[in-house]
Structures are given as structure tokens and as C-alpha cells.
Amino acid sequence: MSKQPARIALAFALLVSACAGSHVDEPESPLPSDERADYAIFALRCSKCHSLARPLDSGIDDDEYWRRYVERMRRQPASGISLADTVPILRFLRAYSRAQRKRKQAQMEPPADDASAPNARTPRVPGSR
Amino acid sequence: MSVSRRSVTLFACLLTLGVLLGLFAPRPLRAAEEYNFAGSAQLDYHYVASGPRNQDVPGPSSTFQGFTMEAGLKVAVDISDHLSANVKACYGCHGFDIDMAYFDYRARDEFNLRVGRFSPSFGAFNLRHDPANHMLSDKPLPYDMGRMLRKGDWNNGVLPSPFPSSGVEIGGSHWAGTTLQFDYALYAVTGFKNYNDPHPTDLNFQETHLPYFVGSAVRPATGARLAFTARGSATVDATLGASGMLGSYDLKSELTYVIVGADFALRVQRTAFRFEYLLRRQQFDTQNPDIFKYAIAERGGDFFTKQGAFAEVEQPLSSLFDVTARVDGMLRRGNVSNLAIGSGADAATSLSPLAYRSYVIRETLGLECALERNFRLKGSAEFWQFSYPDSLGQKTALSMHVGAVGSF
């Protein structure tokens, strides 16, 4: 009997065990603590139907537009997004947009040589697939 | 045009109701249009390790081995708090298609009027049919649209997804507190067709994707969906749904199809379990008994049934990896046509390999790796079991998918 299937299964098991130590919701780099709770709700609700890349890379940076966007998603059948959920979701998305805007502005400004240059990097979002 | 008077009356009533509700709904002071562009593309290589048909070109009885490309570009426009529009063009094995082109007029959460071209509400999978929104390279068998082995024998899945059609849908959601969500949808759409065959024996899904979308003579297909979502805690929710669709698909509107389905989904944290069951009862033309494999039974000899189901578990392993395990299958019962669907022929040249009762079962294990937030690799292995042998006498097959999907 060929040993190849057993080898494939073993390789797969090793891969799974190697990955199982970390968790998808665990921050890779810390978000501010108030944003972390909002992010958790955003990640849980929005990943039900699509990857988180969709909203995070949508390019939306207008608060009013986020409100309509989240409202449209909330009304999707079986979304599981209640009216109460939209508050932390919008709070996170707006904070994320603000950070994005700062990052864009910083990119447009000429590079500063001194160490006091504003650090306007977008916080890295964990598990944002 | 043979659209029934009852359907026209129903459509007019729904439209009037929508307009009246809209007149009384609070209006925004200004209508600021907001555009959002989104898109995805998946390239997948399907390798079939066994089976005599894996060298065939695509077509009846063939197995599709090789590259497939699926791509979609969507524009969503929020015109006001009550009005939005969606247009999505997609490209797949069938060429270009307009998957969505509709307006949503939302008087309130419980009443939304959708008009245009869209996939009517059926089942739970269709919401995730875009390859960027599901973890495996291909769809579950009940919703398969041409990727399955021996697809020509089976004429695809029970309800190949997506299934865009032109028409109107009324739907909505109601929350009871913060734990129960109730969804409903009622629709009338063009539905499926088979105008090519002089004696139709099954739906011709290819016709649904042709640029000429007009359903000139058929009555609208009608259907409904009900779903309940319950939240047990902040991280647990479950959805139970039921769907049904009824339509006719021939030029004379005499041959009917009925599709019913039930779905269940459970989510605990980011772990998802999903189950769906679909059944299609398909009437066929028996005027030319020579095209059938078996003698036409006097009672119940003018239809077949096709059932399909899948169960899957999706588990994130880390910020990079997701694993998915799926079992799916289909069971077909009833007489078998020896003609290729949509060929327009009226004389059979070979026998269909399907028997009066045939089934297929598939087991899949897949791994997805997110290289970037918007770019993921997909790999999966599939083990197939058929109730009937192929020309080499094999009832099983092994196939593998390797693909990449990007979204924006």
C-alpha cells in the first residue's frame, strides 16, 4: 500500500498544529483598547458573508457614506447585524478611516528628517481577511 | 405575450403598494449619491487525477480539467437613504453576464422593493456565491455551475448559482429585540428556460446567460423565502431558512419546475457550520418517447427529481490560514433523456450513462492562505463517488484545485 496518502495527511496535520497556536481574532499589533472591542464586533458580524478586506479596502472615508454602507449591509437577509451593532461597527470604521486619511496626508507631505515626524501609520488590523 | 392576468395584477398591486409606502416614508433633505466599486477575480486550476474523460474538451459527459477564470465587477450606488442601485458584470465559463442590475427601494426595514435583474432569494449560499466570499475553489454540488465531474451527465447542480433573472422582489427584515431576526422575500421573475429543444426534458441554464434576456412567452416564475436568525450570545448565531420556487420553462408554459430548499447555519465565534438541502421536481415533454432511456411510465412518468445537499465546516486556523471540510452530493430519480440539453436535436445518438436512480457524493478538504488581505491562495482535494461506472468501469475519482483569488 502506498505511503503517500499517509505522508500528505501527516504534513497537513503538522501544518494545522503549527497554525493552531494563534487565533484569528488575536491582535498582531495592538489596537487601542477602545477600538479593539469595536473591531471584534465588526470582525464577527461582517465576516459572516464576506472577507473583511471588502469594507477595509473600499476606499470609503466619509462618515455619512459609512452609515449608508453599514445600513445596506444590516438589511441583508440573515445579516445578524442589529441596530445596536451598527454603533460599534461604525465607530471602528470611522476610526479606521481617520487613520487612513492621516496616513494619506502623511504620504503627501515631504519626508521629514527629524525623529519628531508624525507617526501617522494606519493601525494594523488583525485577522482582516 | 402570454403572461397571465393574475401575475400582471399581482405585479401592479406590489408596485402600487411600494409607491404608496414610499410616499409616506420620511424623506432625506438631500440625495447625495455615493458610489462604491468592488470586484474580484479567481483563477483556478482543476486537476483530475483519474477518470477517462479528463482529456475531453468541455461538453456533454465531459470533465472540465484545466484553468477556469471567474471575475466580477460591481458598482453599488446609495442614491438616498431609501434608494440604492447595484450593477454587477461577471465573467465565467459562460462568457459575460449581468449578474445584477437592480434598484432597491426601501420604504422601511420590513419593506424593500427590488426591481431589475438579480438572483431571487433562494437558500443561503447564493449570498456568498462570489469566489472571494467562499473558501473553496468551487461551489457546493447543489449549486454547481459547470465545475463538477461528469457535469454533462447531470446538467449541473439542482440550482446553479448565481441564477440571475429579471423581475421584482419584495422583501424585508424585522428584528425582535436584539436576538431574533426575521427575513422574508416574495418574488416574480422571468425564471429558467429551454426554448432550444423541440421536446424539452430539463432546464437549459446556458439560455439564462445569453445576452438576449427576454422571456417572451413563459409565465413568470414565482417564489418565496423565509428565514429566522437567532443570537444565542454575542458570538453565537444560528439561521434557519426555507425557500421555494415555481415556474414553467418551455415556450408553451406547460412544463413546470418546482424547487424547494431548507438551510441551516450555525456560527460560533468565527467557526461556521452550514447545511443546505435542495430538491427540484422537473416535468419533461414525453411526446417523443424515443429520446428516453426507459419506457415512459403511465403514472408519474413525466418528471424527474433531483436532490442535493451539502454540509461544511469552516475554521480559521490563524491570521493566515482557514481550513474547510465539506461533504456534498446529489441524487437524481426518474427517466433519463438521451439528448444533450439545448442541442435542439430530436433523435438520440447515444445512451446517457445515468440510470433511473443515480447519485454522486463528494468529500472535500481545503486550505486557504491569505498572502495579503485581498489576495488568497486556495487549495483543495476532492474525492468523488458515483453510482454508475464510467467507460473504464471506475466509480470513483480524485481531483484537486489550486487557485488564487483577489478582491478589491
Side-chain angles (χ1 to χ4, degrees):
Chain A
M1 192 176 160
S2 168
K3 290 180 179 174
Q4 197 165 2
R7 283 180 187 154
I8 292 170
L10 182 64
F12 188 78
L14 284 173
L15 181 63
V16 167
S17 60
C19 297
S22 54
H23 192 271
V24 72
D25 289 326
E26 194 174 303
E28 292 163 5
S29 66
L31 285 168
S33 58
D34 53 337
E35 281 181 33
R36 205 179 301 167
D38 294 342
Y39 169 77
I41 295 174
F42 158 77
L44 189 68
R45 299 281 169 248
C46 301
S47 65
K48 183 172 182 179
C49 302
H50 54 74
S51 74
L52 298 182
R54 283 284 165 92
L56 294 178
D57 293 324
S58 64
I60 300 171
D61 61 0
D62 178 77
D63 288 357
E64 173 62 12
Y65 191 9
W66 273 130
R67 187 184 64 78
R68 286 183 178 170
Y69 187 101
V70 172
E71 270 300 285
R72 186 152 42 87
M73 293 296 120
R74 182 179 71 79
R75 287 166 173 146
Q76 290 287 341
S79 69
I81 304 174
S82 67
L83 259 178
D85 290 331
T86 61
V87 177
I89 290 174
L90 278 172
R91 206 160 45 212
F92 167 74
L93 288 171
R94 285 168 179 165
Y96 178 78
S97 293
R98 275 196 300 274
Q100 291 276 57
R101 277 198 298 267
K102 280 183 191 170
R103 187 176 61 84
K104 279 180 193 166
Q105 283 168 2
Q107 281 175 348
M108 290 174 77
E109 287 169 6
D113 293 333
D114 61 299
S116 62
N119 181 3
R121 288 198 317 165
T122 304
R124 186 164 179 180
V125 177
S128 49
R129 291 166 300 146
Chain B
M1 198 162 162
S2 68
V3 176
S4 73
R5 189 176 295 173
R6 198 165 46 172
S7 301
V8 172
T9 310
L10 176 71
F11 178 79
C13 287
L14 293 176
L15 209 58
T16 310
L17 186 65
V19 170
L20 285 174
L21 278 168
L23 284 174
F24 291 108
R27 293 174 172 284
L29 291 174
R30 63 182 180 88
E33 292 183 12
E34 307 279 11
Y35 295 83
N36 177 230
F37 290 90
S40 69
Q42 174 178 287
L43 180 72
D44 179 68
Y45 188 83
H46 188 197
Y47 170 71
V48 184
S50 56
R53 296 188 176 114
N54 60 359
Q55 300 303 320
D56 290 355
V57 292
S61 297
S62 71
T63 281
F64 189 79
Q65 177 178 243
F67 283 113
T68 48
M69 181 75 194
E70 293 175 69
L73 180 63
K74 182 182 167 187
V75 183
V77 190
D78 289 315
I79 300 161
S80 73
D81 279 348
H82 295 281
L83 188 64
S84 61
N86 283 271
V87 178
K88 182 180 179 185
C90 61
Y91 171 78
C93 302
H94 48 67
F96 284 97
D97 193 1
I98 299 296
D99 188 11
M100 299 174 179
Y102 62 82
F103 281 90
D104 270 337
Y105 184 78
R106 215 168 25 247
R108 49 189 300 141
D109 283 4
E110 289 80 4
F111 187 89
N112 180 69
L113 177 68
R114 179 169 292 180
V115 181
R117 181 171 170 81
F118 55 89
S119 290
S121 295
F122 192 105
F125 174 77
N126 195 58
L127 265 181
R128 300 183 300 111
H129 79 267
D130 191 292
N133 293 342
H134 54 88
M135 297 294 179
L136 296 172
S137 295
D138 52 6
K139 297 162 187 162
L141 279 175
Y143 290 107
D144 182 85
M145 191 194 278
R147 308 289 293 280
M148 66 177 290
L149 303 191
R150 307 188 193 184
K151 68 182 177 69
D153 301 348
W154 287 83
N155 189 27
N156 301 308
V158 180
L159 178 61
S161 173
F163 30 90
S165 209
S166 302
V168 57
E169 178 175 292
I170 287 176
S173 279
H174 178 74
W175 275 87
T178 56
T179 55
L180 275 178
Q181 183 183 10
F182 165 71
D183 298 299
Y184 79 95
L186 300 164
Y187 53 84
V189 294
T190 306
F192 295 110
K193 317 174 214 175
N194 188 342
Y195 299 167
N196 269 0
D197 294 329
H199 301 290
T201 56
D202 202 348
L203 309 177
N204 183 356
F205 298 111
Q206 191 62 31
E207 281 190 35
T208 313
H209 297 286
L210 293 178
Y212 187 67
F213 292 138
V214 176
S216 60
V218 287
R219 291 194 189 101
T222 53
R225 172 165 170 79
L226 287 174
F228 294 93
T229 300
R231 277 165 52 169
S233 72
T235 56
V236 178
D237 67 71
T239 300
L240 188 63
S243 314
M245 187 192 294
L246 165 68
S248 55
Y249 68 103
D250 62 316
L251 279 166
K252 295 176 186 168
S253 292
E254 289 173 345
L255 304 173
T256 62
Y257 59 90
V258 180
I259 312 173
V260 293
D263 52 273
F264 173 73
L266 174 68
R267 216 159 174 256
V268 181
Q269 297 273 6
R270 300 281 289 273
T271 304
F273 169 79
R274 303 185 187 95
F275 172 80
E276 285 202 50
Y277 169 79
L278 280 79
L279 181 149
R280 172 154 55 95
R281 183 189 187 277
Q282 182 74 52
Q283 217 173 9
F284 46 62
D285 188 330
T286 55
Q287 286 182 38
N288 183 5
D290 294 340
I291 64 174
F292 289 99
K293 191 169 183 178
Y294 305 103
I296 308 287
E298 278 188 26
R299 282 188 63 181
D302 65 343
F303 71 90
F304 69 84
T305 60
K306 199 173 186 181
Q307 302 173 65
F310 75 91
E312 70 179 13
V313 179
E314 252 175 41
Q315 174 64 54
L317 297 175
S318 71
S319 57
L320 285 180
F321 292 101
D322 287 85
V323 67
T324 305
R326 180 172 71 190
V327 178
D328 52 0
M330 289 198 292
L331 170 67
R332 187 192 184 283
R333 277 185 179 152
N335 211 335
V336 181
S337 167
N338 289 313
L339 297 179
I341 303 301
S343 65
D346 53 8
T349 53
S350 61
L351 283 180
S352 167
L354 290 182
Y356 196 87
R357 180 183 179 279
S358 298
Y359 67 79
V360 52
I361 297 171
R362 176 175 67 174
E363 292 153 302
T364 305
L365 187 63
L367 189 69
E368 196 188 63
C369 175
L371 295 181
E372 281 267 335
R373 195 155 68 198
N374 295 344
F375 188 68
R376 290 170 289 156
L377 301 179
K378 292 180 175 182
S380 59
E382 300 176 334
F383 179 64
W384 301 74
Q385 299 169 74
F386 291 89
S387 61
Y388 59 96
D390 58 24
S391 55
L392 292 182
Q394 293 176 332
K395 287 186 174 182
T396 60
L398 185 66
S399 69
M400 275 161 264
H401 287 274
V402 178
V405 62
S407 63
F408 62 92

